[in-house]
Amino acid sequence: MRVLILGGTSEANLLAAAVAAAGLDAIYSYAGRTQVPVNQPLPTRIGGFGGADGLADAIRQQGFTHVVDATHPFATEISRNAVAACATTATPLIALERKPWIKMPGDIWIEVQDVAAAVAALPQARANVFLAIGRQHITPFATRPQHAYTLRFIDAAGGSLSLPDADLIVSRGPFTLAGELDLMRSRRIEWIVARNSGGDGARAKIDAARELKLPVIMIERPALPDRSRVESVAEVMQWLGHRACLGA
Ligand code: 3Y8
Ligand code: NAP
């Protein structure tokens, strides 16, 4: 058995620890989006594969017998590539995917389908807006230059920001409720834009918004292709363990 873990999330990190503890032969894969990704207790590769075909070649050439897609619910490209590459190479694939956040009593959510709809949902009048959606989807907000934006990236911007009135926080999660409350109060945040990533690493801002009775423009998850999916590391280990018995 040789497992390829497509990682880059808190859940992938927990899985890597379990796989390493079980002594399985596995490789952890990052896209290479951040400058200093978290170290893993497994051999790690960094960078794209070169599309679905490149991933299929890697599976063949490196002899992977199982693929676990433990990437992020908004990482749609790699997830689609994994489905295609595993179909082409007849390699078992499972997704480790956390549940979306569910709106709770007291939440003030404006649920939208995508970034463009999130931009359109902002008020016309100038407001203090917290864009907690990383760096890859900031440019569309330039059509609403009237707002004072607070952005949060994992690494420094490395160039000018595409928004005229923007303040950048460089911080990697997981985040805490106290920290998010402090950020929102000190910056007098009036609106939050978030993506329904689910999981614990990013949910503190949602809890803080509820406590402060602030509206959250919540971008819903994009559709992903059908594939086997589980929500816990234990279920992935069972899936690997089960197949190890049958297919060792
Ligand atoms: C490169 C690996 C851990 C894992 C940490 C989770 C939790 C903190 C919350 C906010 C939201 C955001 C963003 C976020 C969170 C965890 C987890 C999570 C959101 C790392 C990581 C990689 C990335 C890539 C990065 C994206 C960006 C998105 C920031 C490592 C830290 C906004 C997602 O600069 C860039 O190009 C960054 C790009 C994709 C989304 C975007 O479009 O900008 N994640 N995040 C992975 C790789 O190279 O393969 O560096 O160690 C992983 C984590 N990010 O326990 O250490 O599991 O979700 N990541 C979102 O939710 O919208 C921050 O600020 O409130
Ligand atoms: P994406 O749009 O789905 O993928 C874009 C390209 O990046 C893929 O086609 C692939 O390149 C490469 N790639 C993505 N994940 C990879 C991985 N784990 N290993 C090797 N190559 C990978 O991905 P994304 O949204 O930019 O996310 C990139 C990484 O950040 C993922 O590991 C994801 O888990 C992590 N992350 C993303 C978010 C988010 O909000 N999107 C949040 C937290 C963590 P090739 O086509 O060349 O193979």
Side-chain angles (χ1 to χ4, degrees), residues 103-217:
K103 191 172 162 203
M104 292 164 66
D107 280 334
I108 307 168
W109 287 7
I110 296 108
E111 296 178 82
V112 296
Q113 287 306 307
D114 52 31
V115 173
V119 176
L122 284 172
Q124 281 306 327
R126 179 179 168 79
N128 295 332
V129 180
F130 178 27
L131 293 187
I133 54 171
R135 79 163 80 213
Q136 298 181 89
H137 306 285
I138 297 299
T139 308
F141 290 87
T143 60
R144 293 282 192 285
Q146 67 269 37
H147 299 307
Y149 289 103
T150 295
L151 313 178
R152 181 155 65 189
F153 292 173
I154 290 175
D155 296 318
S160 64
L161 297 171
S162 50
L163 300 173
D165 182 354
D167 186 32
L168 174 62
I169 299 171
V170 178
S171 171
R172 123 191 330 257
F175 304 103
T176 63
L177 177 60
E180 301 293 59
L181 285 169
D182 182 49
L183 182 157
M184 294 180 190
R185 285 180 174 129
S186 60
R187 292 165 180 268
R188 293 189 176 72
I189 297 297
E190 296 164 286
W191 288 79
I192 293 108
V193 181
R195 300 192 295 178
N196 199 330
S197 303
D200 301 328
R203 77 154 302 132
K205 58 182 176 279
I206 309 303
D207 298 333
R210 184 183 318 111
E211 189 164 322
L212 298 175
K213 299 184 174 40
L214 296 178
V216 176
I217 299 174

Side-chain angles (χ1 to χ4, degrees), residues 58 69 97 124 177 187 233 243:
D69 177 357
E97 193 179 277
Q124 281 306 327
L177 177 60
R187 292 165 180 268
V233 167
R243 294 213 179 224

Side-chain angles (χ1 to χ4, degrees), residues 65-133:
T65 58
H66 298 74
V67 176
V68 182
D69 177 357
T71 63
H72 189 272
F74 281 80
T76 52
E77 198 99 3
I78 186 67
S79 293
R80 289 199 181 101
N81 291 353
V83 169
C86 289
T88 308
T89 58
T91 308
L93 166 69
I94 199 162
L96 173 55
E97 193 179 277
R98 65 256 185 136
K99 283 193 176 65
W101 297 314
I102 306 296
K103 191 172 162 203
M104 292 164 66
D107 280 334
I108 307 168
W109 287 7
I110 296 108
E111 296 178 82
V112 296
Q113 287 306 307
D114 52 31
V115 173
V119 176
L122 284 172
Q124 281 306 327
R126 179 179 168 79
N128 295 332
V129 180
F130 178 27
L131 293 187
I133 54 171

Side-chain angles (χ1 to χ4, degrees), residues 1-88:
M1 168 183 276
R2 188 158 156 74
V3 186
L4 172 61
I5 298 175
L6 299 173
T9 61
S10 313
E11 288 74 14
N13 298 349
L14 294 172
L15 174 63
V19 165
L24 298 184
D25 178 3
I27 298 281
Y28 189 100
S29 179
Y30 278 119
R33 281 244 179 273
T34 50
Q35 283 161 14
V36 188
V38 163
N39 276 330
Q40 297 299 334
L42 292 171
T44 299
R45 65 171 299 290
I46 297 183
F49 293 95
D53 292 345
L55 178 52
D57 291 344
I59 291 170
R60 290 189 195 97
Q61 287 155 16
Q62 296 174 48
F64 291 115
T65 58
H66 298 74
V67 176
V68 182
D69 177 357
T71 63
H72 189 272
F74 281 80
T76 52
E77 198 99 3
I78 186 67
S79 293
R80 289 199 181 101
N81 291 353
V83 169
C86 289
T88 308

